[in-house]
Amino acid sequence: MLKEIRPAIVLLLGLTVITGLFYPLAMTGIAGLMFPTQAQGSLIERDGRVIGSSLIGQEFTADEYFHGRPSATTGPDPKDATKTVPQAYNAVNSMGSNLGPTSKALIDRVSEDNAKLKAQNPSAPVPIDLVTTSGSGLDPDISPEGALFQVSRIARARKLPEDRVRQLVTAKTETRFAGLLGEPRVNVLALNLALDAAASK
């Protein structure tokens, strides 16, 4: 019986070592050589300190900065570990809200966000991505329309010409991959860093 089982055990152990050890190490090494920035998490540094990743959104609430999409992620309640509380862009708990289109909580939240945004820029329609969450809750990008909608608020807060802020949005807008895949988008963290750099000049 051992003679019949032995090849299966050897094959199992061999494939476990190959696919569970050698293959992941090889892929990690190749990725590190070919795509060093992406393999390390696409981290963004300022003054030698990591301040974020281009792949994970951050919450900006000050009027001087562009704001990203709403985030539905949650985290443990510090007062009661059996409960959760909203915690924007919590990468440990990536998820959407799971609220359906007839959910009163969702309708109330979107209506409230829409009213706040409309008060900031009454002359323009509110872009949909500024009031809806992404499936992951971690989206680092907004649409160019979402960024341009915020230009007047930021220009007022920073006392910058609106045209200068619009130029930054245009400069930081990424187009479709190969002209076909995805949608035009603006990375919020990269745009805010460019905004800080422009304001310091």
Side-chain angles (χ1 to χ4, degrees), residues 57-63 65-68 89 188-190 192-193:
Q58 292 186 26
E59 186 173 31
F60 290 94
T61 56
D63 285 344
Y65 288 104
F66 287 92
H67 300 170
Y89 299 104
V188 177
L189 178 56
N192 282 334
L193 288 173

Side-chain angles (χ1 to χ4, degrees), residues 31-200:
L33 291 172
M34 293 180 67
F35 310 102
T37 302
Q38 293 89 335
Q40 295 300 317
S42 299
L43 301 177
I44 296 176
E45 294 185 4
R46 182 165 65 178
D47 302 327
R49 189 170 62 90
V50 174
I51 58 168
S53 167
S54 63
L55 302 176
I56 298 176
Q58 292 186 26
E59 186 173 31
F60 290 94
T61 56
D63 285 344
E64 294 84 2
Y65 288 104
F66 287 92
H67 300 170
R69 295 183 72 172
S71 174
T73 58
T74 60
D77 186 342
K79 297 175 184 173
D80 184 352
T82 64
K83 297 180 181 174
T84 59
V85 292
Q87 194 175 78
Y89 299 104
N90 179 8
V92 175
N93 199 11
S94 171
M95 64 175 193
S97 68
N98 292 331
L99 298 176
T102 58
S103 165
K104 185 178 184 316
L106 178 63
I107 293 168
D108 290 347
R109 201 264 309 150
V110 170
S111 299
E112 185 180 327
D113 288 354
N114 189 66
K116 285 180 186 173
L117 290 166
K118 200 69 180 158
Q120 294 172 11
N121 189 354
S123 62
V126 176
I128 192 71
D129 57 319
L130 294 184
V131 294
T132 56
T133 63
S134 65
S136 68
L138 304 176
D139 197 342
D141 304 321
I142 55 175
S143 66
E145 296 78 16
L148 291 169
F149 179 86
Q150 301 179 64
V151 164
S152 59
R153 167 178 53 81
I154 291 161
R156 283 194 306 271
R158 288 187 179 251
K159 297 179 174 51
L160 287 171
E162 286 191 20
D163 284 346
R164 180 72 186 104
V165 182
R166 275 195 201 91
Q167 288 170 6
L168 288 173
V169 172
T170 302
K172 290 296 176 182
T173 297
E174 299 174 47
T175 57
R176 290 179 171 91
F177 178 73
L180 298 170
L181 303 175
E183 291 294 325
R185 63 204 176 279
V186 184
N187 186 281
V188 177
L189 178 56
L191 182 56
N192 282 334
L193 288 173
L195 191 59
D196 280 345
S200 66

